[in-house]
Amino acid sequence: MTSVRAMFFDVFGTLVDWRSSVAREAQSVLAPLGHNLDWSAFADAWRHEYQPGMEEVRAGRIPFSKLDVLHRRNLERFIPRFGLRNLPDDVLHELTLAWHRLDAWPDVTAALRRLKKNFLLAPVSNGNISLMVDLARRNDFPWDAILGAEVAGDYKPKPRVYLAACEAFDLKPAQCMMVAAHSSDLAAAAACGLRTGHVARPNEHGPGTGETAPGVPVDVAGADLGELAKKLGE
Amino acid sequence: MTSVRAMFFDVFGTLVDWRSSVAREAQSVLAPLGHNLDWSAFADAWRHEYQPGMEEVRAGRIPFSKLDVLHRRNLERFIPRFGLRNLPDDVLHELTLAWHRLDAWPDVTAALRRLKKNFLLAPVSNGNISLMVDLARRNDFPWDAILGAEVAGDYKPKPRVYLAACEAFDLKPAQCMMVAAHSSDLAAAAACGLRTGHVARPNEHGPGTGETAPGVPVDVAGADLGELAKKLGE
């Protein structure tokens, strides 16, 4: 593990609590307009469109579009089920920016600051650059660079995204560790030759819904990012 | 000027003193091997190959290659004139990394920290991502993201580089200001619709060789980055 020089991070679910943040932001936009919804169900419905939206790009059916664009398209796809019709463009835009206002899980920022002493740090997320920048400003994430889908021009778990991140830092895959709360992300990174770290986020999709332990072999695992950092000696 | 949300920075010459840093680094690699050169002339000769090297990419004669690759190729092109032949690959590699170890002009880091309060900040340099990351670590540059040539896949002053930076931040060109010590860079940015800021670096290529004032119309100009920041109210 002493050869690891950079740590790459999944963001949605791993570093930030998208579900309660999107629920809160949707409520703050829509409640003043008289809408009263199950806000957690609203967040879940939006997230449910996430993989199918990216699959259009991964499969080559549409050109690469940044995640903000997919989030907006996905939003318009599911909101009729919540009885929301003919929302003005500015409301749809403001809702889409909910994903720029997600709060970190409480262990994250302090752990990243410790890891920064000995590792290069970057998000390798499917979120676009501006979204990652806004989350970093909001939560004090000390990134060295913003890597991930927009830099690679494709979406995880396509190998190009992990490999483009390694290349941006002039590192071999074995010198990079992907950290995520999702075993599928780690399996894809490991297949590219990266080291892997798992963080448990048992409540990602609501109480008792997330991974409590990795479902694939990993190099290190922690109950949270603080424990993972400690296991790496930080 | 109140509409400006992001500030983009040229790096070589504008933020960092490449000439004395490359001279120092070349000496530290080559002097122990028994070479005694005019180290400033060595740095100047290397820099002299800079624009022709990038022009190969800009003109489409070779695919995009990151600046580290061009620096290495340019190095091998000019060193025979200094009597250096058959240097081992690891020495050539270590020399190339001299460009990752450049020191900031003394006014830069404090000014960037002040600007960070109200603007998104990113380098929009022809340097590659890993080079920019190393310079940021060395000099405490507080970037929100690393933008520029490697993200755009082309070299300044091609319009794509400036426009890709604006797009990465979801901003219109008029919401972004390019800051540089070189009027040609600012003219190209202005042609893309960006605001422009000039910083005087009168000693960039040695005493009395750099621009003391902009040679094109700009929105703001400063004797150094601290003065430019002050003029922007920071």
Side-chain angles (χ1 to χ4, degrees), chain B:
Chain B
M1 210 76 86
T2 54
S3 65
V4 173
R5 302 274 309 280
M7 297 187 69
F8 298 145
F9 295 85
D10 177 60
V11 174
F12 302 120
T14 301
L15 301 187
V16 301
D17 174 8
W18 57 264
R19 187 174 188 258
S20 62
S21 300
V22 168
R24 177 197 64 221
E25 294 294 322
Q27 181 171 14
S28 82
V29 173
L30 292 174
L33 302 177
H35 300 288
N36 187 15
L37 313 176
D38 178 340
W39 304 110
S40 296
F42 185 91
D44 288 338
W46 207 345
R47 188 65 171 177
H48 192 69
E49 303 286 339
Y50 180 62
Q51 291 297 343
M54 292 187 297
E55 189 57 24
E56 296 294 298
V57 172
R58 288 190 293 242
R61 287 190 290 271
I62 61 171
F64 181 79
S65 314
K66 62 172 86 175
L67 190 63
D68 280 344
V69 173
L70 300 185
H71 272 154
R72 169 67 182 261
R73 189 176 309 170
N74 295 344
L75 173 69
E76 298 188 48
R77 191 165 292 162
F78 81 84
I79 53 173
R81 298 206 304 274
F82 285 80
L84 298 167
R85 288 172 202 282
N86 304 317
L87 288 179
D89 182 73
D90 63 329
V91 172
L92 293 169
H93 179 68
E94 200 58 25
L95 277 172
T96 302
L97 291 180
W99 294 89
H100 290 231
R101 302 191 196 105
L102 309 180
D103 292 335
W105 300 109
D107 54 290
V108 169
T109 302
L112 288 177
R113 298 218 159 264
R114 277 158 41 213
L115 290 166
K116 177 134 185 174
K117 288 183 204 122
N118 287 310
F119 299 99
L120 296 174
L121 304 183
V124 174
S125 161
N126 283 331
N128 44 287
I129 293 171
S130 65
L131 193 165
M132 288 295 124
V133 165
D134 285 343
L135 296 186
R137 282 266 179 162
R138 181 181 187 92
N139 296 293
D140 283 325
F141 294 158
W143 301 131
D144 286 286
I146 307 290
L147 304 176
E150 189 174 351
V151 172
D154 208 339
Y155 283 108
K156 293 190 295 181
K158 292 281 280 283
R160 184 74 211 128
V161 185
Y162 306 100
L163 296 173
C166 303
E167 291 165 14
F169 279 171
D170 296 331
L171 295 174
K172 299 187 180 110
Q175 295 175 297
C176 303
M177 175 178 284
M178 184 74 208
V179 176
H182 312 117
S183 295
S184 56
D185 198 356
L186 298 178
C192 293
L194 285 79
R195 314 300 292 262
T196 53
H198 186 272
V199 175
R201 295 299 179 201
N203 305 319
E204 179 183 352
H205 299 263
T209 60
E211 294 185 12
T212 54
V216 295
V218 298
D219 294 294
V220 60
D224 63 19
L225 194 61
E227 188 180 291
L228 186 141
K230 195 174 287 180
K231 288 187 177 179
L232 293 172
E234 305 302 325

Side-chain angles (χ1 to χ4, degrees), chain A residues 110-158:
Chain A
L112 288 177
R113 297 218 160 263
R114 276 158 41 212
L115 289 166
K116 177 134 185 175
K117 286 182 206 125
N118 287 310
F119 299 99
L120 295 174
L121 304 183
V124 174
S125 161
N126 284 331
N128 45 286
I129 293 172
S130 65
L131 193 164
M132 288 295 124
V133 165
D134 285 344
L135 296 186
R137 283 265 179 161
R138 182 182 187 93
N139 296 293
D140 283 325
F141 294 158
W143 301 131
D144 286 286
I146 307 290
L147 304 176
E150 189 174 351
V151 171
D154 208 339
Y155 283 109
K156 292 191 295 181
K158 292 281 281 285

Side-chain angles (χ1 to χ4, degrees), chain A residues 13-17 20 103-112 114 139 141 201 203 224-226:
Chain A
T14 299
L15 301 187
V16 300
D17 174 9
S20 63
D103 292 335
W105 300 108
D107 54 289
V108 169
T109 302
L112 288 177
R114 276 158 41 212
N139 296 293
F141 294 158
R201 296 297 180 201
N203 304 318
D224 62 21
L225 193 60

